[in-house]
Amino acid sequence: MLPPEPTAINNGFTGLLKNRGFMLLWIGQLISQLADKVFFVLMIALLKLYLPSNEINGDARFYLYMAFTVPAILFGSAGGVIVDRVPKKLIMVGSDVVRGIFMVLIPFLPRQFGILLFFTFGISTVTQFFAPAEQASIPLLVRKEGLMAANALFSSTMMAALIIGNAVATPMLNWFEIFNKGFGKELVVGCLYLISAVIMMPIQFREHRHIDKTAPAINPWAEFVLGLRYLRQNRLVWNAMLQIVTLYCVFAALIELAIGMAARLHLAPEEFSSFVAAAGVGMVIGAAILGNFGHRLYNKPLPLIGFLIMAFSLGLFIFIDNQPLALGLCIFLGVGAAFVNVPMQTLIQQQAPSEMHGKVFGFQNHAINIALTAPLLITTKLVNAFGLSAVLFGMSIVVGAIGVWTWQNTRRVLQDVI
């Protein structure tokens, strides 16, 4: 539905493999994403070095979690403002270097809990500048007709980094600690960030930046309002972003629902992660389908199909009573999620003007971070009040309705675009 009509250019993953700049960006972001996942696991593990064993409790982990997530809410949009004013390569390489140096410094400073919170907050803050710069860089390296495959690859590797990072973080950290006791764990995470920076250094962006010496200094609030005004005026981009945020709300709620599903199937509470991982695998499969065949589906209502698949899957969970079927349904749900995320991300990159990319993706990053946090609290209360089956049924109706509504609301505009 969304990419332009196919041309003679190879639009699949094969074409991207020949794009040196894009491949460097992709490998760099993959390593950086992996470092992000291992980083938070490391911060939790370091608690035992910074607090007495009798003080390591839910409150300590809560403060650490807040230091990790609050920057995403506070600075998500601000990062996008900077991206529109500063070369994107400088932002990505610079943020990796800063995070790498921060990680290497941690073992040499006093082991105080406040210092651990400070570095967690600082590294998470710097990350808010990397994400919008990365998204805004893809259209600079990939032709318009190749954006579907590029976003499919980025989406699949992001989910792969999430799954693999959480799975290998503890064994990896323990293995490096054996060879370098004292600061081996911090060193490996810092090196991952620095390796990512080195890989992206040779990238050459076709970034044409007009320098206006009379332009006023950066005003974050005014720039934020400008970006928000653009989104409100551009119904196409606004609705695409709404669909992406809705998707992340569903995935955040899925974490709490997966815990309830694990209890229903008489599984250990920690086994809920297998359902989330299965949904991630589904997103990888869906992204692979779009990456290879998306140019043949340019006139299909992919996001509508994706939302209906997700709604159907959520509704069927009510009747599932064994683990293999539940895992298969999670994979199916993940495929539907990819059918929403990849085309909508491609649409935003195609339709938003390059001078607005930073603000648009910064706002998107901001909204996604909120979407990943708020539903956790709301879903828990809803499940406690109405039960798991009722919440699953309600979410199924809401997700399906949003899919139909957003498609009806933008169908004519989309037809004009293609």
Side-chain angles (χ1 to χ4, degrees):
M1 179 189 72
L2 297 171
E5 190 167 351
T7 65
I9 298 173
N10 190 330
N11 297 321
F13 289 145
T14 304
L16 294 176
L17 293 175
K18 301 175 183 178
N19 187 330
R20 180 174 178 270
F22 174 80
M23 292 306 297
L24 290 174
L25 177 67
W26 173 63
I27 295 171
Q29 71 89 26
L30 177 60
I31 295 175
S32 184
Q33 287 269 358
L34 182 62
D36 287 339
K37 306 305 177 289
V38 179
F39 161 70
F40 187 66
V41 175
L42 172 61
M43 294 297 103
I44 297 293
L46 289 179
L47 279 176
K48 63 183 179 182
L49 300 178
Y50 286 78
L51 288 173
S53 57
N54 61 329
E55 294 184 20
I56 300 177
N57 49 35
D59 288 341
R61 285 188 290 271
F62 172 77
Y63 289 130
L64 194 63
Y65 180 74
M66 292 300 292
F68 183 75
T69 56
V70 165
I73 298 174
L74 293 179
F75 306 115
S77 295
V81 171
I82 301 300
V83 167
D84 283 334
R85 296 292 191 105
V86 179
K88 297 168 183 59
K89 176 180 172 180
L90 177 62
I91 292 176
M92 291 188 293
V93 173
S95 63
D96 272 338
V97 170
V98 170
R99 289 183 291 180
I101 293 174
F102 274 16
M103 289 304 308
V104 175
L105 284 177
I106 290 177
F108 300 100
L109 297 174
R111 297 191 183 278
Q112 298 178 4
F113 185 54
I115 291 178
L116 188 66
L117 291 178
F118 171 79
F119 275 95
T120 302
F121 185 90
I123 291 174
S124 182
T125 298
V126 175
T127 302
Q128 307 315 310
F129 295 87
F130 184 95
E134 173 191 85
Q135 283 294 333
S137 297
I138 297 176
L140 298 177
L141 296 171
V142 180
R143 293 174 181 268
K144 189 175 181 180
E145 57 270 13
L147 284 176
M148 176 75 85
N151 282 297
L153 190 58
F154 264 72
S155 175
S156 60
T157 51
M158 182 182 70
M159 293 306 303
L162 177 63
I163 298 168
I164 296 172
N166 289 325
V168 307
T170 300
M172 178 192 296
L173 293 173
N174 291 338
W175 189 77
F176 275 92
E177 181 72 7
I178 294 175
F179 290 93
N180 198 342
K181 293 186 177 181
F183 61 92
K185 295 180 178 180
E186 296 91 337
L187 184 62
V188 65
V189 179
C191 284
L192 285 174
Y193 283 125
L194 294 175
I195 290 171
S196 173
V198 171
I199 288 173
M200 290 189 291
M201 281 290 290
I203 299 176
Q204 298 295 325
F205 288 114
R206 300 188 303 271
E207 191 169 6
H208 304 291
R209 194 176 295 276
H210 174 68
I211 301 175
D212 184 359
K213 296 181 179 181
T214 64
I218 296 177
N219 184 329
W221 177 250
E223 297 271 357
F224 172 76
V225 172
L226 177 64
L228 189 59
R229 185 182 301 121
Y230 167 78
L231 289 172
R232 292 179 63 182
Q233 292 173 351
N234 192 315
R235 199 177 73 179
L236 183 61
V237 174
W238 176 261
N239 275 274
M241 191 173 295
L242 174 64
Q243 292 179 60
I244 292 176
V245 172
T246 301
L247 169 64
Y248 279 92
C249 283
V250 172
F251 261 80
L254 184 63
I255 297 175
E256 177 62 31
L257 297 174
I259 296 174
M261 284 294 298
R264 174 189 285 184
L265 299 177
H266 308 292
L267 302 173
E270 60 270 17
E271 291 188 64
F272 84 92
S273 60
S274 63
F275 298 116
V276 180
V281 170
M283 282 198 71
V284 173
I285 294 172
I289 294 172
L290 293 174
N292 280 303
F293 307 108
H295 57 286
R296 301 179 185 176
L297 304 173
Y298 69 95
N299 59 347
K300 302 297 189 296
L302 295 177
L304 174 62
I305 294 172
F307 273 117
L308 293 180
I309 289 175
M310 293 172 65
F312 181 70
S313 301
L314 289 168
L316 279 185
F317 274 122
I318 300 172
F319 309 101
I320 296 298
D321 58 1
N322 68 78
Q323 187 177 7
L325 283 177
L327 292 174
L329 204 55
C330 284
I331 293 175
F332 189 55
L333 184 146
V335 172
F339 278 29
V340 176
N341 185 60
V342 174
M344 292 297 97
Q345 194 67 59
T346 303
L347 183 147
I348 295 173
Q349 289 171 346
Q350 288 179 347
Q351 297 303 312
S354 59
E355 65 272 14
M356 295 294 296
H357 274 173
K359 286 182 277 292
V360 169
F361 291 124
F363 186 83
Q364 175 184 308
N365 189 46
H366 197 164
I368 287 174
N369 287 322
I370 296 174
L372 288 172
T373 304
L376 287 173
L377 302 175
I378 298 173
T379 306
T380 301
K381 294 184 180 297
L382 290 175
V383 171
N384 291 337
F386 302 104
L388 179 62
S389 295
V391 174
L392 284 169
F393 179 76
M395 282 190 62
S396 174
I397 298 297
V398 170
V399 170
I402 289 176
V404 173
W405 176 75
T406 52
W407 170 244
Q408 290 291 339
N409 199 30
T410 57
R411 179 172 56 183
R412 292 182 180 176
V413 185
L414 288 171
Q415 288 171 343
D416 290 339
V417 171
I418 60 175

